Amino acid sequence: MTGASGRVALVTGGARGIGAGIASRLAADGWRVVVADRDPAGAAPIGTAPIGTAPAGGRFVLCDVGDEAAVARLVADVDGTEQRLDALICNAGFMIRKPVRDLSLAEWSSVLATNLTSIFLLVRGFETMLRTARGAVVTIASTRAHMSEPDTESYSASKGGVVALTHALAVSLGPEVRVNCISPGWIFTKGPQPTPEEHAFHPAGRVGTVEDIAGLAAFLIGPESHFITGAEFVVDGGVTRKMIYPE
Ligand code: NDP
């Protein structure tokens, strides 16, 4: 518990993965957590409450954060129910991996809508509440904002946009609201366990965990980070600092 009692945090994409880890961490720290996700299957990320009921320390709202009307409903819901917002964690995101020649405009737009435009919609909707609370925003970008594999254009473009949007918002919303970005590297959330070789590839000696991201997010919305805004924090076990040449 870090003295967050009475303060409210909204975590998008918090039904599973990194978002669920952040929601759990913040609830354990004493935050009241609202999780907004389009996946109703993960409606109890903070505890074991069944869908539609409020888990200890928080509640779930079904919302597609890339949809303007849905975000407007979410803002009205939080305004009416919690009546305040102290922290906004913009975590929802997904990737389409496809050769650019096969990528439709609808697919490109759907990635941009969830990964980037949602942050604009959420911050615009919650600006007054965040200013009143002297709150903080954390955006989740990716190391793919800075480096790429083939066939990831829409995702990389969206995450580069998140980094830029973060510093633009920090300048516009300060001094009342701080805005910072976390760019994760490989954070293990699903799929086969990383191999020993994959762990060893990281200068830190291992693949990341959701707790690695959740701990930093908790710091960035807490009082000890008060002099930090507009910054990007790369959390990747050192991979983007590792020089690689062909054997
Ligand atoms: P997951 O796919 O495990 O979880 C993301 C959650 O967000 C899912 O529940 C998903 O629902 C939901 N979501 C997706 N789109 C929307 C939307 N439009 N509205 C509401 N909810 C939505 O992702 P991760 O936990 O792996 O990633 C979380 C964030 O971290 C993302 O922004 C991702 O880009 C970023 N990231 C992750 C890395 C990793 O290694 N895991 C590395 C770098 C960045 P649904 O199941 O319906 O899609």
Side-chain angles (χ1 to χ4, degrees):
M1 187 75 105
T2 60
S5 182
R7 291 198 291 161
V8 177
L10 172 65
V11 183
T12 71
R16 59 186 169 87
I18 292 171
I22 294 172
S24 295
R25 167 62 192 259
L26 298 187
D29 285 353
W31 289 81
R32 174 166 172 76
V33 180
V34 179
V35 164
D37 201 292
R38 68 181 177 187
D39 181 4
I46 307 164
T48 53
I51 293 171
T53 65
R59 69 186 179 98
F60 178 85
V61 179
L62 192 63
C63 177
D64 177 347
V65 295
D67 181 88
E68 185 176 19
V71 171
R73 285 193 297 275
L74 174 65
V75 172
D77 182 331
V78 172
D79 195 17
T81 305
E82 280 76 23
Q83 299 175 348
R84 63 183 291 162
L85 190 70
D86 301 83
L88 170 62
I89 315 292
C90 300
N91 164 79
F94 73 101
M95 176 191 286
I96 294 177
R97 202 185 277 251
K98 219 177 203 191
V100 69
R101 64 181 167 278
D102 297 329
L103 190 69
S104 71
L105 179 58
E107 289 169 329
W108 167 275
S109 299
S110 70
V111 173
L112 270 288
T114 286
N115 295 9
L116 179 60
T117 308
S118 67
I119 300 173
F120 154 65
L121 295 173
L122 288 157
V123 170
R124 187 182 64 174
F126 284 111
E127 178 181 353
T128 303
M129 274 186 267
L130 287 166
R131 282 192 190 274
T132 301
R134 299 190 78 85
V137 178
V138 172
T139 61
I140 304 294
S142 167
T143 50
R144 291 173 188 267
H146 306 286
M147 59 198 304
S148 291
E149 291 178 303
D151 306 331
T152 59
E153 279 72 17
S154 56
Y155 187 83
S156 292
S158 71
K159 295 302 190 177
V162 172
V163 174
L165 178 58
T166 299
H167 62 69
L169 288 171
V171 170
S172 300
L173 271 54
E176 290 90 0
V177 183
R178 296 181 300 108
V179 188
N180 289 293
C181 176
I182 301 174
S183 284
W186 181 5
I187 305 300
F188 178 67
T189 57
K190 54 182 178 280
Q193 285 286 337
T195 64
E197 293 73 26
E198 288 169 334
H199 282 300
F201 177 76
H202 291 68
R206 64 172 176 84
V207 166
T209 66
V210 296
E211 289 79 14
D212 292 321
I213 306 302
L216 180 55
F219 169 74
L220 288 173
I221 62 172
E224 289 178 302
S225 60
H226 200 257
F227 194 51
I228 303 174
T229 193
E232 180 195 13
F233 294 84
V234 173
V235 183
D236 70 343
V239 165
T240 50
R241 289 299 191 190
K242 184 170 175 177
M243 198 170 283
I244 300 172
Y245 287 109
E247 294 288 312

